[in-house]
Amino acid sequence: MIRYCKRRHQYFCGIMDLEKGLSKKSYEGIVQHISGSSKKIVDVTCKKEIEEEIKLNEENESLLLNITVSGDGSWKKRGFSSLYGVTMLIGYHTGKVIDLVVKSSYCQACIYYKNTDKNDP
């Protein structure tokens, strides 16, 4: 679930040149649609790259599912103070990203439930 943010809502409307803005419900629907579409594109692209990596792996006479990859990752800020990071697996033969994970050390739902537990009698 994507958390609603008024500032992002206003920014989105400005970029899309929506002078009068959108209702909160419309905005959330659009964001959910963009998120779902983006995830689907990443899944399809990664699947294609994995198939290409397996094919090149076979051509180089390696075991079929013994794929060699390297990993790389980054956080938004240096040190350990960042809330968001990304990790990628890169195929040895193709040099292309075959998997991608975005990580967050921040969870709005966890904070909400943590605060609710304290207030329960």
Side-chain angles (χ1 to χ4, degrees), residues 32-100:
Q32 290 293 343
H33 184 71
I34 291 171
S35 176
S37 299
S38 300
K39 286 177 185 176
K40 193 166 197 153
I41 290 169
V42 168
D43 290 344
V44 168
T45 304
C46 286
K47 184 177 179 182
K48 180 182 144 203
E49 300 307 333
I50 289 170
E51 290 169 358
E52 186 179 339
E53 186 68 30
I54 289 172
K55 183 180 174 188
L56 288 174
N57 198 39
E58 284 181 278
E59 289 174 5
N60 289 311
E61 300 176 1
S62 298
L63 295 174
L64 180 63
L65 294 177
N66 222 2
I67 298 173
T68 304
V69 296
S70 64
D72 193 13
S74 180
W75 288 95
K76 188 174 178 184
K77 297 182 203 171
R78 285 191 202 185
F80 298 99
S81 62
S82 182
L83 297 177
Y84 303 101
V86 63
T87 303
M88 294 166 280
L89 286 181
I90 303 165
Y92 176 77
H93 296 291
T94 61
K96 296 179 180 177
V97 174
I98 60 172
D99 198 11
L100 170 77

Side-chain angles (χ1 to χ4, degrees), residues 108-121:
Q108 181 64 34
C110 295
I111 292 170
Y112 172 77
Y113 286 111
K114 183 179 176 182
N115 290 337
T116 338
D117 291 341
K118 289 180 182 178
N119 295 333
D120 285 344

Side-chain angles (χ1 to χ4, degrees), residues 2-3 5-13 27 84:
I2 297 173
R3 185 174 57 109
C5 175
K6 187 174 182 176
R7 187 178 72 228
R8 288 186 194 135
H9 181 164
Q10 292 169 341
Y11 185 68
F12 177 80
C13 290
Y27 170 75
Y84 303 101

